């Protein structure tokens, strides 16, 4: 691999960020297939390749958005209903500790501040949260599932495959937003997908062309230097 190839790979990785406003420009089916074929080269334990991907567009996309948004709106009105919609696995810790909670808060208030949402403005926060289930207007939703028989290692495998999807999409001029926000609504999602009962929802990705004029897409989160998270032993 020459230096130009290294630069292009690095650029695809470092320029990727979570886009929260998309254009409604359609994406050719073959482009999506190409991305998934490349992503499928991700490593997996003993080559199990445990991932499954549902590509949702058109009327099926509208059905998904309508059902989940309606449920989320009902939860906004009656918070107790949230107990009926729980993740099948914990994405976040039950108890937060530093520095992770500090980064989470910085991320949340940085995004809300950019959008002019102040602390305590619950209706505005709820409206922004609902944008997750509108896919931020992206024309394509990718839903990733695993067979329930697989162990926790399969979640590591599918995570590497998901990263490949986002980088391969970026290399083709597309943008993404990985979303665990859909996980509590797995029962609705899997029903709309007509997925078999032995599958678990892992996450979703909104896929499309970023809206270059929307202020939300100027929000780029910081990253720690390797000096801060690496330990070199010789």
């Amino acid at each position: 691999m020459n230096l130009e190839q290294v630069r292009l790979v690095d650029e695809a990785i470092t320029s990727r960020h979570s886009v929260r406003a998309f254009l409604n420009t359609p994406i050719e089916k073959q482009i999506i297939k190409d991305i998934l074929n490349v992503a499928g080269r991700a490593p997996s334990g003993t080559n199990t390749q445990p991932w499954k991907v549902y590509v949702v567009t058109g009327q099926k996309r509208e059905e998904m958005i309508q059902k989940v948004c309606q449920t989320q709106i009902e939860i906004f009105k009656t918070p107790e209903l949230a107990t009926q919609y729980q993740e099948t696995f914990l994405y976040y810790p039950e108890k937060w500790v530093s520095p992770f909670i500090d980064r989470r808060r910085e991320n949340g208030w940085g995004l809300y501040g950019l959008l002019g949402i102040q602390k305590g403005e619950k209706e505005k926060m709820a409206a922004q949260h609902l944008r997750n289930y509108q896919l931020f207007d992206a024309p394509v939703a990718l839903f990733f599932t695993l067979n329930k028989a697989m162990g926790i290692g399969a979640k590591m495998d599918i995570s590497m495959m998901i990263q490949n999807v986002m980088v391969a999409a970026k290399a083709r001029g597309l943008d993404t937003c990985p979303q665990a926000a859909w996980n509590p609504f797995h029962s609705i999602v899997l029903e709309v997908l007509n997925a078999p009962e032995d599958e678990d929802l892992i996450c979703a990705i909104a896929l499309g062309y970023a809206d270059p004029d929307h202020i939300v897409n100027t929000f780029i989160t910081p990253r720690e230097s390797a000096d801060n998270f690496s330990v070199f032993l010789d």
Side-chain angles (χ1 to χ4, degrees):
M1 181 175 286
N2 60 40
L3 290 178
E4 178 60 15
Q5 290 173 314
V6 170
R7 185 189 69 79
L8 291 173
V9 172
D10 286 356
E11 184 177 352
I13 294 171
T14 58
S15 64
R16 185 219 64 81
H17 67 105
S18 294
V19 163
R20 293 180 175 85
F22 291 86
L23 302 174
N24 61 6
T25 306
I27 305 171
E28 293 181 17
K29 186 176 182 179
Q30 187 58 51
I31 293 177
I32 301 173
K33 283 186 175 182
D34 290 345
I35 290 170
L36 294 176
N37 278 321
V38 170
R41 292 301 307 175
S44 58
T46 62
N47 198 34
T48 51
Q49 304 173 66
W51 43 76
K52 188 170 180 179
V53 187
Y54 293 84
V55 182
V56 180
T57 60
Q59 289 300 315
K60 185 60 71 171
R61 171 188 175 279
E62 295 303 315
E63 178 186 356
M64 185 76 76
I65 288 173
Q66 190 276 325
K67 288 186 175 181
V68 175
C69 280
Q70 184 57 47
T71 303
Q72 182 61 63
I73 290 170
E74 291 173 1
I75 291 173
F76 288 152
K77 296 177 180 177
T78 311
E80 305 84 63
L81 292 176
T83 59
Q84 300 177 26
Y85 300 96
Q86 300 292 318
E87 300 167 302
T88 57
F89 64 94
L90 288 179
Y91 184 89
Y92 293 113
E94 292 182 336
K95 183 178 180 180
W96 286 93
V97 297
S98 291
F100 314 112
I101 184 61
D102 309 305
R103 294 171 186 162
R104 176 179 170 87
R105 287 169 176 161
E106 179 187 32
N107 181 77
W109 290 119
L111 176 62
Y112 284 160
L114 186 66
L115 295 172
I117 301 173
Q118 304 301 316
K119 189 174 183 178
E121 293 185 316
K122 294 183 179 180
E123 290 187 4
K124 289 183 179 180
M125 290 180 184
Q128 179 59 30
H129 185 68
L130 196 65
R131 293 283 292 149
N132 283 282
Y133 311 114
Q134 296 163 347
L135 294 166
F136 303 110
D137 300 327
V140 178
L142 306 176
F143 291 95
F144 296 80
T145 67
L146 285 175
N147 190 288
K148 292 178 180 179
M150 301 305 290
I152 193 170
K155 289 184 173 64
M156 297 170 62
D157 298 338
I158 197 172
S159 297
M160 291 185 280
M161 189 269 190
I162 290 167
Q163 173 74 358
N164 276 1
V165 168
M166 294 187 287
V167 173
K170 190 63 184 177
R172 290 163 172 78
L174 290 161
D175 282 284
T176 53
C177 186
Q179 298 177 278
W182 291 82
N183 291 6
F185 302 111
H186 58 89
S187 59
I188 299 173
V189 171
L190 295 173
E191 180 179 8
V192 174
L193 296 177
N194 196 29
E197 293 184 0
D198 61 0
E199 288 182 19
D200 270 337
L201 178 65
I202 300 303
C203 80
I205 284 182
L207 174 69
Y209 294 96
D211 182 348
D213 299 322
H214 201 297
I215 191 172
V216 74
N217 288 334
T218 66
F219 183 67
I220 308 294
T221 53
R223 291 294 189 273
E224 292 291 323
S225 165
D227 290 336
N228 294 335
F229 61 76
S230 304
V231 179
F232 289 80
L233 304 173
D234 190 350

